[in-house]
C-alpha cells in the first residue's frame, strides 16, 4: 500500500539546517495498522506531512497504492486521509455542517453528501451531537470529528498524527475502538504515537523512529522478544533458604532455554532470562518440584516497548516523552503456591 524509500528532509532555521528525516525507508502493507513510535522531534510529523503532500521532500521516493507522490499528488490526495495533530475542524459551524462542507469539498453533492455524513456520524458515534456547535465538543468528541473529516472520501490509507494526544482514558478507549473498527473494514492506518500502550494495543507492526531514521521495526511482540527476551522471577519456600536457591540455580543452569540467572543483592528472588517464558514456566515448575524444592511463586515478566526503545536508542521513551501516558510493563503470567 505504501512504500517509502530513502526519504530526506531538512529545514532551515536561523541559518542552521535541521535534518528531520535522514534516509528514512518503510513499507506498509494493505490492511495493516502501522505505528511510528518515537520521541519529540524524531521526524514523525515531517514524514506524515510529506506523505499528505503538504511538504515536499528533499530526496527519496514515495508510492501510495501505486501512485507516485511527486508525479501524481492529486491522486495521492484522493487515496489518503490525513488527520493532523491540530485536526481540521471549523469551530464556528455545527458537527453536521462541518462534515457536509468536507463532503462538498471532495465533490459529493446533494443526497449523496448527506448520506455519507449520516454514515460517518453513526460510525463515529456522533449522531447525537450532529447539531452541536463544534466549539462546544469535548476533546474526545472533537477528535472523533477530526477522524470523520479525514474519512469522508473513503480513503484507502489513513494517516493519523498522534490521534489520542491529550485525551482522557475513556476517550482514548473510544477512539481506539473506532480505529479498530476502521481496520476491520479494511482501511490501512499509519499512525504516530508517543504512547507505548497505544502502539501495543492498536498496531500490527511498529517502527521505532529516532533522529529521522527507523532504527527497528516488527510486530510489538517481535520487537519485545528480540530486544530483551523474557524474565521468570522465582521465589522458593521457605524464603531465606540460600541452599534451596543454590540447588535451584544448579538445576536451571543446565536447561538450554535459560540464558542467564541472577539474584539481586540481599534479594530472595532468582531472575531467569529465558527465550519463551510461557513455555519455560511449567517446565521450571516441574523440574524444581521433582527435585523436592517448594516454589512459592513464579512470575513471567515480559519486556515493555520502553525496554525496546531503550535498547535501540540508549534512552528511555518514557523520559523522552514525559507527558505521555505509559502503561506499566507488569507481569503477564504468574503461578503462585495455593492458587
Ligand atoms: N517548520 C520547521 N522549521 C524548522 N524546524 C522544524 C520545522 N518543523 C519541524 N522541525 C524540526 O524537525 C525535527 C523533526 O520534527 P517533527 O515535528 O517531524 O518531529 P516529531 O517526531 O513529529 O515530534 P513530536 O512528537 O514532538 O510531534 C525537529 O527537530 C523539529 O524541531
Amino acid at each position: 500500500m505504501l512504500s517509502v524509500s530513502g526519504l530526506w528532509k531538512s529545514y532551515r532555521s536561523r541559518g542552521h539546517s535541521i535534518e528531520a528525516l535522514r534516509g528514512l525507508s518503510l513499507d506498509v502493507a494493505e490492511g495493516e495498522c502501522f505505528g511510528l513510535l518515537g520521541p519529540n522531534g524524531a521526524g514523525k510529523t515531517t514524514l506524515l506531512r510529506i506523505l499528505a503532500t503538504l511538504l515536499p521532500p528533499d530526496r527519496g521516493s514515495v508510492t501510495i497504492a501505486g501512485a507516485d507522490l511527486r508525479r501524481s499528488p492529486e491522486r495521492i490526495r484522493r487515496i489518503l486521509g490525513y488527520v493532523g495533530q491540530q485536526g481540521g475542524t471549523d469551530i464556528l459551524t455545527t458537527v453536521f455542517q462541518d462534515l457536509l462542507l468536507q463532503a462538498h469539498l471532495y465533490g459529493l453533492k446533494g443526497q449523496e453528501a448527506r448520506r455519507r455524513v449520516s454514515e460517518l456520524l453513526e460510525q463515529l458515534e456522533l449522531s447525537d451531537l450532529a447539531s452541536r456547535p463544534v466549539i462546544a465538543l469535548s476533546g474526545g468528541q472533537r477528535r472523533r470529528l477530526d477522524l470523520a473529516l479525514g474519512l469522508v472520501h473513503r480513503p484507502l490509507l489513513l494517516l493519523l498524527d498522534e490521534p489520542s494526544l491529550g485525551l482522557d482514558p475513556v476517550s482514548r478507549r473510544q477512539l481506539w475502538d473506532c480505529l479498530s473498527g476502521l481496520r476491520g473494514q479494511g482501511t490501512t492506518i499509519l499512525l504516530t504515537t508517543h504512547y507505548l500502550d497505544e502502539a501495543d494495543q492498536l498496531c500490527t507492526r511498529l517502527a521505532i523512529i529516532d533522529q529521522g531514521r527507523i532504527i527497528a521495526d516488527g510486530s510489538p511482540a517481535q520487537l519485545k522478544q528480540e530486544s530483551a527476551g523474557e524474565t521468570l522471577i522465582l521465589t522458593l519456600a521457605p524464603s531465606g533458604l540460600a541452599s534451596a536457591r543454590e540447588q535451584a540455580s544448579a538445576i536451571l543452569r543446565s536447561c538450554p532455554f535459560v540464558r542467564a540467572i541472577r539474584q539481586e543483592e540481599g534479594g530472595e528472588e532468582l531472575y531467569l532470562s529465558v527465550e519463551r517464558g510461557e513455555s519455560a514456566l511449567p517446565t521450571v515448575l516441574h523440574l524444581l518440584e521433582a527435585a523436592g524444592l517448594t516454589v512459592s511463586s513464579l512470575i513471567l515478566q515480559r519486556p515493555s516497548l520502553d525496554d525496546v526503545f531503550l535498547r535501540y536508542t540508549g534512552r528511555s521513551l518514557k523520559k523522552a516523552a514525559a507527558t505521555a501516558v505509559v502503561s506499566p510493563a507488569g507481569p503477564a503470567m504468574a503461578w503462585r503456591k495455593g492458587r
Side-chain angles (χ1 to χ4, degrees):
M1 168 63 68
L2 167 69
S3 178
V4 177
S5 174
L7 209 59
W8 287 80
K9 176 71 191 174
S10 58
Y11 299 99
R12 286 209 72 77
S13 175
R14 296 184 187 166
H16 287 93
S17 172
I18 299 160
E19 287 189 326
L21 297 180
R22 301 186 300 145
L24 185 142
S25 300
L26 74 93
D27 288 292
V28 179
E30 196 175 326
E32 271 194 304
C33 180
F34 193 100
L36 284 169
L37 187 71
N40 292 120
K44 305 179 297 293
T45 300
T46 301
L47 173 64
L48 256 51
R49 287 177 60 78
I50 290 175
L51 299 181
T53 74
L54 298 170
L55 200 64
D58 298 339
R59 265 185 285 155
S61 66
V62 176
T63 52
I64 302 177
D68 181 88
L69 184 92
R70 283 181 203 268
R71 269 181 267 150
S72 323
E74 298 83 13
R75 218 176 122 206
I76 297 270
R77 280 178 217 128
R78 293 235 152 238
I79 293 169
L80 60 82
Y82 172 64
V83 181
Q85 277 180 27
Q86 312 300 329
T89 48
D90 176 354
I91 55 170
L92 298 176
T93 60
T94 65
V95 169
F96 185 85
Q97 285 164 343
D98 204 14
L99 279 167
L100 194 63
L101 174 66
Q102 185 85 341
H104 290 156
L105 289 174
Y106 274 104
L108 300 181
K109 296 196 176 78
Q111 279 308 313
E112 195 191 5
R114 290 179 169 269
R115 229 184 350 259
R116 181 65 186 137
V117 170
S118 300
E119 270 171 21
L120 285 164
L121 288 171
E122 201 171 317
Q123 188 179 357
L124 292 157
E125 295 176 29
L126 290 166
S127 300
D128 294 345
L129 304 169
S131 57
R132 190 174 293 184
V134 173
I135 200 167
L137 297 179
S138 73
Q141 293 163 345
R142 179 89 69 99
R143 216 55 191 133
R144 295 210 301 280
L145 175 58
D146 290 337
L147 203 53
L149 289 166
L151 287 170
V152 163
H153 58 301
R154 295 192 171 86
L156 298 176
L157 172 65
L158 188 61
L159 307 177
L160 303 172
D161 200 356
E162 311 234 3
S164 66
L165 188 71
L167 296 187
D168 63 61
V170 176
S171 305
R172 293 176 80 220
R173 280 265 152 216
Q174 267 183 329
L175 190 81
W176 290 358
D177 288 346
C178 288
L179 295 179
S180 300
L182 282 174
R183 261 204 66 223
Q185 292 160 19
T187 309
T188 308
I189 299 174
L190 173 63
L191 61 86
T192 73
T193 186
H194 289 182
Y195 299 138
L196 299 163
D197 56 346
E198 182 160 278
D200 225 348
Q201 178 86 22
L202 288 178
C203 299
T204 44
R205 216 146 56 85
L206 279 179
I208 296 182
I209 178 167
D210 190 37
Q211 298 176 0
R213 282 199 181 126
I214 289 183
I215 52 173
D217 78 332
S219 71
Q222 250 171 0
L223 286 174
K224 286 188 272 188
Q225 178 78 32
E226 278 168 18
S227 71
E230 295 178 338
T231 303
L232 288 176
I233 306 169
L234 168 68
T235 316
L236 295 164
S239 62
L241 204 60
S243 62
R245 281 197 297 273
E246 277 158 26
Q247 193 188 345
S249 296
I251 294 168
L252 295 170
R253 222 169 268 128
S254 63
C255 294
F257 58 83
V258 177
R259 290 181 189 162
I261 303 175
R262 68 183 168 85
Q263 188 182 345
E264 282 174 5
E265 215 176 292
E268 301 287 334
E269 298 92 5
L270 289 178
Y271 292 82
L272 319 175
S273 295
V274 293
E275 264 160 45
R276 303 178 65 81
E278 213 164 302
S279 57
L281 191 142
T283 312
V284 168
L285 199 57
H286 174 73
L287 285 173
L288 297 180
E289 300 219 314
L293 293 164
T294 309
V295 177
S296 72
S297 82
L298 187 56
I299 297 170
L300 166 58
Q301 194 167 56
R302 293 199 163 110
S304 69
L305 284 173
D306 196 48
D307 296 325
V308 177
F309 193 79
L310 187 67
R311 176 186 162 201
Y312 285 105
T313 66
R315 304 193 314 282
S316 163
L317 185 61
K318 287 180 195 172
K319 286 192 185 131
T323 52
V325 178
V326 175
S327 64
M333 189 176 169
W335 182 89
R336 275 198 183 80
K337 192 84 182 159
R339 279 207 170 168

